[in-house]
Amino acid sequence: QVQLVESGGGLVQAGGSLRLSCAASGLTFSAYAMGWFRQAPGKEREFVAAISRASSRTPYADSVKDRFTISRDNAKNTVNLDMNSLKPEDTAVYYCATNHLSATPSGREYDYWGQGTQVTVSS
């Protein structure tokens, strides 16, 4: 049974930093690209960042480029999202997800999803 468990969310002031982690189990982690998505209240889910199997590709949404960094550790079955210079508009539930094909921004191509972790950025 595939499980993705996100952690690291919380309340932070604008300009602050957080590190989100996603621990995967029940799958061959290195065979999957991984992605981070987010959903704010009343808004559709949106792509944040993705990382290919060997970390050679890391596409980002324009809104987070140069502020967020995605990384993975295939030995530990984890994917991280380092978030710096946080803004109130980054407030959302953040989800990690697996993609057996590629590190793509399209959420419809992702197979398994975690339950999410709340990130709240106060102004």
Side-chain angles (χ1 to χ4, degrees):
Q1 181 182 359
V2 176
Q3 278 194 317
L4 301 175
V5 179
E6 301 95 338
S7 62
L11 174 64
V12 64
Q13 288 187 333
S17 300
L18 280 176
R19 168 175 257 211
L20 303 185
S21 294
C22 172
S25 60
L27 76 169
T28 302
F29 184 73
S30 59
Y32 288 83
M34 298 296 296
W36 283 98
F37 294 79
R38 66 187 182 187
Q39 187 165 21
K43 295 187 177 181
E44 292 188 353
R45 183 183 62 200
E46 64 174 0
F47 169 75
V48 175
I51 187 165
S52 59
R53 297 175 186 85
S55 304
S56 57
R57 287 190 64 244
T58 53
Y60 293 90
D62 288 343
S63 59
V64 307
K65 203 170 293 184
D66 299 325
R67 298 189 298 123
F68 291 10
T69 302
I70 189 171
S71 61
R72 67 188 294 162
D73 186 335
N74 287 344
K76 296 182 178 179
N77 288 7
T78 57
V79 58
N80 300 309
L81 185 69
D82 289 301
M83 307 186 296
N84 298 310
S85 302
L86 283 161
K87 305 175 181 180
E89 51 263 45
D90 294 318
T91 295
V93 178
Y94 283 71
Y95 301 88
C96 68
T98 67
N99 189 320
H100 69 281
L101 293 175
S102 65
T104 173
S106 174
R108 288 177 291 183
E109 298 180 20
Y110 283 74
D111 321 285
Y112 301 104
W113 294 79
Q115 293 298 308
T117 185
Q118 175 71 46
V119 171
T120 303
V121 184
S122 63
S123 57

